[in-house]
Amino acid sequence: TLVVEEVCLSPNQRSCMQFNFTDSTSPMGPNAGFQAFLVFANGTRSVLKTGQGSTATTSVVVGADNPKCSQSAANSAARCKGKEDLFLLSLKFDLYPEETDWNVTYRLPNFDDVQWFGRANYTANEGNFVLYETCVPKQICFNFTINDSKGDGICCQNGDGEFIGFLNGNEMFRGGNFNSSEMIQFGLC
């Protein structure tokens, strides 16, 4: 089975990225492999890494020699303290990023919801893909909520938008085809 994932990246995003190739069984199958490469506007390709899977997860870090990359996902897990997990949100917009906002909340013992972090006011100038990461406390139930002001979600009427949430490198949720809003719980719920 051949799987191709394509993502458009701004020049800033190309300077520091991490890709993880994961197989649900370890190691990857005997004929399994991967190739990560950049395709530039003029059609040329730059191969980043090619390999056979010998473990369940293989990472490819691009730009690790770039000093600006010190804050990348490749080094983020080390920044999170022992009582914290690394949360990573990959968000690919549809054709109208300005319609999208999202937030992550958690519930206090008195049942009040507290907004932990989030983002609104995206613009078309930011490109069609963003990656957001932060450290979050362990053993808390979080609510991820994404909103689309037009009510057509981020997939599939006006582009192939998608959101994916990871906790310590493990996919917790994925989506994109919703109406005005979608809420998903993750963490210790």
mmCIF file with all atom_site columns, all heavy atoms in Angstrom, residues 2 7 14 29 73 101-102 140 142-143 170:
data_model
loop_
_atom_site.group_PDB
_atom_site.id
_atom_site.type_symbol
_atom_site.label_atom_id
_atom_site.label_alt_id
_atom_site.label_comp_id
_atom_site.label_asym_id
_atom_site.label_entity_id
_atom_site.label_seq_id
_atom_site.pdbx_PDB_ins_code
_atom_site.Cartn_x
_atom_site.Cartn_y
_atom_site.Cartn_z
_atom_site.occupancy
_atom_site.B_iso_or_equiv
_atom_site.pdbx_formal_charge
_atom_site.auth_seq_id
_atom_site.auth_comp_id
_atom_site.auth_asym_id
_atom_site.auth_atom_id
_atom_site.pdbx_PDB_model_num
ATOM 1  N N   . LEU A 1 2   ? 0.619   2.135  -0.905 1.00 0.00 ? 2   LEU A N   1
ATOM 2  C CA  . LEU A 1 2   ? 1.357   3.387  -0.973 1.00 0.00 ? 2   LEU A CA  1
ATOM 3  C C   . LEU A 1 2   ? 0.488   4.487  -0.399 1.00 0.00 ? 2   LEU A C   1
ATOM 4  O O   . LEU A 1 2   ? -0.668  4.645  -0.791 1.00 0.00 ? 2   LEU A O   1
ATOM 5  C CB  . LEU A 1 2   ? 1.727   3.717  -2.422 1.00 0.00 ? 2   LEU A CB  1
ATOM 6  C CG  . LEU A 1 2   ? 2.382   5.071  -2.663 1.00 0.00 ? 2   LEU A CG  1
ATOM 7  C CD1 . LEU A 1 2   ? 3.742   5.122  -1.973 1.00 0.00 ? 2   LEU A CD1 1
ATOM 8  C CD2 . LEU A 1 2   ? 2.516   5.327  -4.153 1.00 0.00 ? 2   LEU A CD2 1
ATOM 9  N N   . VAL A 1 7   ? 1.704   18.384 2.173  1.00 0.00 ? 7   VAL A N   1
ATOM 10 C CA  . VAL A 1 7   ? 1.447   19.562 2.993  1.00 0.00 ? 7   VAL A CA  1
ATOM 11 C C   . VAL A 1 7   ? 2.194   20.726 2.371  1.00 0.00 ? 7   VAL A C   1
ATOM 12 O O   . VAL A 1 7   ? 3.361   20.604 2.014  1.00 0.00 ? 7   VAL A O   1
ATOM 13 C CB  . VAL A 1 7   ? 1.941   19.343 4.446  1.00 0.00 ? 7   VAL A CB  1
ATOM 14 C CG1 . VAL A 1 7   ? 1.749   20.597 5.267  1.00 0.00 ? 7   VAL A CG1 1
ATOM 15 C CG2 . VAL A 1 7   ? 1.237   18.168 5.087  1.00 0.00 ? 7   VAL A CG2 1
ATOM 16 N N   . ARG A 1 14  ? 9.682   25.377 6.569  1.00 0.00 ? 14  ARG A N   1
ATOM 17 C CA  . ARG A 1 14  ? 10.672  24.490 5.964  1.00 0.00 ? 14  ARG A CA  1
ATOM 18 C C   . ARG A 1 14  ? 11.994  24.518 6.709  1.00 0.00 ? 14  ARG A C   1
ATOM 19 O O   . ARG A 1 14  ? 12.800  23.621 6.578  1.00 0.00 ? 14  ARG A O   1
ATOM 20 C CB  . ARG A 1 14  ? 10.901  24.869 4.496  1.00 0.00 ? 14  ARG A CB  1
ATOM 21 C CG  . ARG A 1 14  ? 9.770   24.470 3.604  1.00 0.00 ? 14  ARG A CG  1
ATOM 22 C CD  . ARG A 1 14  ? 10.166  24.533 2.153  1.00 0.00 ? 14  ARG A CD  1
ATOM 23 N NE  . ARG A 1 14  ? 10.660  25.807 1.720  1.00 0.00 ? 14  ARG A NE  1
ATOM 24 C CZ  . ARG A 1 14  ? 9.942   26.742 1.135  1.00 0.00 ? 14  ARG A CZ  1
ATOM 25 N NH1 . ARG A 1 14  ? 8.667   26.545 0.928  1.00 0.00 ? 14  ARG A NH1 1
ATOM 26 N NH2 . ARG A 1 14  ? 10.483  27.875 0.748  1.00 0.00 ? 14  ARG A NH2 1
ATOM 27 N N   . GLY A 1 29  ? 6.704   -3.577 8.531  1.00 0.00 ? 29  GLY A N   1
ATOM 28 C CA  . GLY A 1 29  ? 6.767   -4.784 7.710  1.00 0.00 ? 29  GLY A CA  1
ATOM 29 C C   . GLY A 1 29  ? 8.066   -4.881 6.918  1.00 0.00 ? 29  GLY A C   1
ATOM 30 O O   . GLY A 1 29  ? 8.742   -3.887 6.696  1.00 0.00 ? 29  GLY A O   1
ATOM 31 N N   . ALA A 1 73  ? 9.690   20.742 17.437 1.00 0.00 ? 73  ALA A N   1
ATOM 32 C CA  . ALA A 1 73  ? 9.070   19.557 18.034 1.00 0.00 ? 73  ALA A CA  1
ATOM 33 C C   . ALA A 1 73  ? 10.110  18.505 18.365 1.00 0.00 ? 73  ALA A C   1
ATOM 34 O O   . ALA A 1 73  ? 9.922   17.709 19.273 1.00 0.00 ? 73  ALA A O   1
ATOM 35 C CB  . ALA A 1 73  ? 8.031   18.987 17.074 1.00 0.00 ? 73  ALA A CB  1
ATOM 36 N N   . ASP A 1 101 ? -11.231 29.146 14.237 1.00 0.00 ? 101 ASP A N   1
ATOM 37 C CA  . ASP A 1 101 ? -10.591 29.377 15.535 1.00 0.00 ? 101 ASP A CA  1
ATOM 38 C C   . ASP A 1 101 ? -10.705 28.092 16.339 1.00 0.00 ? 101 ASP A C   1
ATOM 39 O O   . ASP A 1 101 ? -11.506 27.221 16.035 1.00 0.00 ? 101 ASP A O   1
ATOM 40 C CB  . ASP A 1 101 ? -11.204 30.568 16.281 1.00 0.00 ? 101 ASP A CB  1
ATOM 41 C CG  . ASP A 1 101 ? -12.625 30.300 16.750 1.00 0.00 ? 101 ASP A CG  1
ATOM 42 O OD1 . ASP A 1 101 ? -12.788 29.686 17.827 1.00 0.00 ? 101 ASP A OD1 1
ATOM 43 O OD2 . ASP A 1 101 ? -13.578 30.696 16.050 1.00 0.00 ? 101 ASP A OD2 1
ATOM 44 N N   . TRP A 1 102 ? -9.843  27.960 17.345 1.00 0.00 ? 102 TRP A N   1
ATOM 45 C CA  . TRP A 1 102 ? -9.842  26.752 18.169 1.00 0.00 ? 102 TRP A CA  1
ATOM 46 C C   . TRP A 1 102 ? -9.360  27.102 19.574 1.00 0.00 ? 102 TRP A C   1
ATOM 47 O O   . TRP A 1 102 ? -8.733  28.134 19.787 1.00 0.00 ? 102 TRP A O   1
ATOM 48 C CB  . TRP A 1 102 ? -8.969  25.660 17.550 1.00 0.00 ? 102 TRP A CB  1
ATOM 49 C CG  . TRP A 1 102 ? -7.530  26.046 17.407 1.00 0.00 ? 102 TRP A CG  1
ATOM 50 C CD1 . TRP A 1 102 ? -6.959  26.686 16.341 1.00 0.00 ? 102 TRP A CD1 1
ATOM 51 C CD2 . TRP A 1 102 ? -6.491  25.857 18.366 1.00 0.00 ? 102 TRP A CD2 1
ATOM 52 N NE1 . TRP A 1 102 ? -5.626  26.899 16.582 1.00 0.00 ? 102 TRP A NE1 1
ATOM 53 C CE2 . TRP A 1 102 ? -5.306  26.405 17.811 1.00 0.00 ? 102 TRP A CE2 1
ATOM 54 C CE3 . TRP A 1 102 ? -6.431  25.288 19.634 1.00 0.00 ? 102 TRP A CE3 1
ATOM 55 C CZ2 . TRP A 1 102 ? -4.090  26.385 18.490 1.00 0.00 ? 102 TRP A CZ2 1
ATOM 56 C CZ3 . TRP A 1 102 ? -5.216  25.268 20.287 1.00 0.00 ? 102 TRP A CZ3 1
ATOM 57 C CH2 . TRP A 1 102 ? -4.066  25.808 19.717 1.00 0.00 ? 102 TRP A CH2 1
ATOM 58 N N   . ILE A 1 140 ? -4.971  15.187 33.238 1.00 0.00 ? 140 ILE A N   1
ATOM 59 C CA  . ILE A 1 140 ? -6.079  16.135 33.175 1.00 0.00 ? 140 ILE A CA  1
ATOM 60 C C   . ILE A 1 140 ? -6.871  15.828 31.916 1.00 0.00 ? 140 ILE A C   1
ATOM 61 O O   . ILE A 1 140 ? -6.315  15.455 30.886 1.00 0.00 ? 140 ILE A O   1
ATOM 62 C CB  . ILE A 1 140 ? -5.578  17.597 33.156 1.00 0.00 ? 140 ILE A CB  1
ATOM 63 C CG1 . ILE A 1 140 ? -5.002  17.965 34.517 1.00 0.00 ? 140 ILE A CG1 1
ATOM 64 C CG2 . ILE A 1 140 ? -6.691  18.570 32.771 1.00 0.00 ? 140 ILE A CG2 1
ATOM 65 C CD1 . ILE A 1 140 ? -4.536  19.391 34.635 1.00 0.00 ? 140 ILE A CD1 1
ATOM 66 N N   . PHE A 1 142 ? -8.835  17.251 28.863 1.00 0.00 ? 142 PHE A N   1
ATOM 67 C CA  . PHE A 1 142 ? -8.915  18.479 28.083 1.00 0.00 ? 142 PHE A CA  1
ATOM 68 C C   . PHE A 1 142 ? -10.031 18.367 27.057 1.00 0.00 ? 142 PHE A C   1
ATOM 69 O O   . PHE A 1 142 ? -10.377 17.277 26.606 1.00 0.00 ? 142 PHE A O   1
ATOM 70 C CB  . PHE A 1 142 ? -7.602  18.729 27.334 1.00 0.00 ? 142 PHE A CB  1
ATOM 71 C CG  . PHE A 1 142 ? -6.445  19.031 28.236 1.00 0.00 ? 142 PHE A CG  1
ATOM 72 C CD1 . PHE A 1 142 ? -5.561  18.025 28.598 1.00 0.00 ? 142 PHE A CD1 1
ATOM 73 C CD2 . PHE A 1 142 ? -6.224  20.313 28.711 1.00 0.00 ? 142 PHE A CD2 1
ATOM 74 C CE1 . PHE A 1 142 ? -4.480  18.294 29.412 1.00 0.00 ? 142 PHE A CE1 1
ATOM 75 C CE2 . PHE A 1 142 ? -5.153  20.583 29.538 1.00 0.00 ? 142 PHE A CE2 1
ATOM 76 C CZ  . PHE A 1 142 ? -4.281  19.567 29.885 1.00 0.00 ? 142 PHE A CZ  1
ATOM 77 N N   . ASN A 1 143 ? -10.579 19.510 26.671 1.00 0.00 ? 143 ASN A N   1
ATOM 78 C CA  . ASN A 1 143 ? -11.536 19.601 25.576 1.00 0.00 ? 143 ASN A CA  1
ATOM 79 C C   . ASN A 1 143 ? -10.916 20.434 24.469 1.00 0.00 ? 143 ASN A C   1
ATOM 80 O O   . ASN A 1 143 ? -10.576 21.598 24.691 1.00 0.00 ? 143 ASN A O   1
ATOM 81 C CB  . ASN A 1 143 ? -12.839 20.281 26.020 1.00 0.00 ? 143 ASN A CB  1
ATOM 82 C CG  . ASN A 1 143 ? -13.593 19.468 27.026 1.00 0.00 ? 143 ASN A CG  1
ATOM 83 O OD1 . ASN A 1 143 ? -13.641 18.258 26.938 1.00 0.00 ? 143 ASN A OD1 1
ATOM 84 N ND2 . ASN A 1 143 ? -14.181 20.138 28.002 1.00 0.00 ? 143 ASN A ND2 1
ATOM 85 N N   . ASN A 1 170 ? 1.595   10.520 20.288 1.00 0.00 ? 170 ASN A N   1
ATOM 86 C CA  . ASN A 1 170 ? 0.513   9.598  19.969 1.00 0.00 ? 170 ASN A CA  1
ATOM 87 C C   . ASN A 1 170 ? -0.708  10.376 19.506 1.00 0.00 ? 170 ASN A C   1
ATOM 88 O O   . ASN A 1 170 ? -1.136  11.324 20.169 1.00 0.00 ? 170 ASN A O   1
ATOM 89 C CB  . ASN A 1 170 ? 0.127   8.759  21.191 1.00 0.00 ? 170 ASN A CB  1
ATOM 90 C CG  . ASN A 1 170 ? 1.277   7.896  21.656 1.00 0.00 ? 170 ASN A CG  1
ATOM 91 O OD1 . ASN A 1 170 ? 1.865   7.162  20.874 1.00 0.00 ? 170 ASN A OD1 1
ATOM 92 N ND2 . ASN A 1 170 ? 1.624   8.000  22.930 1.00 0.00 ? 170 ASN A ND2 1
#
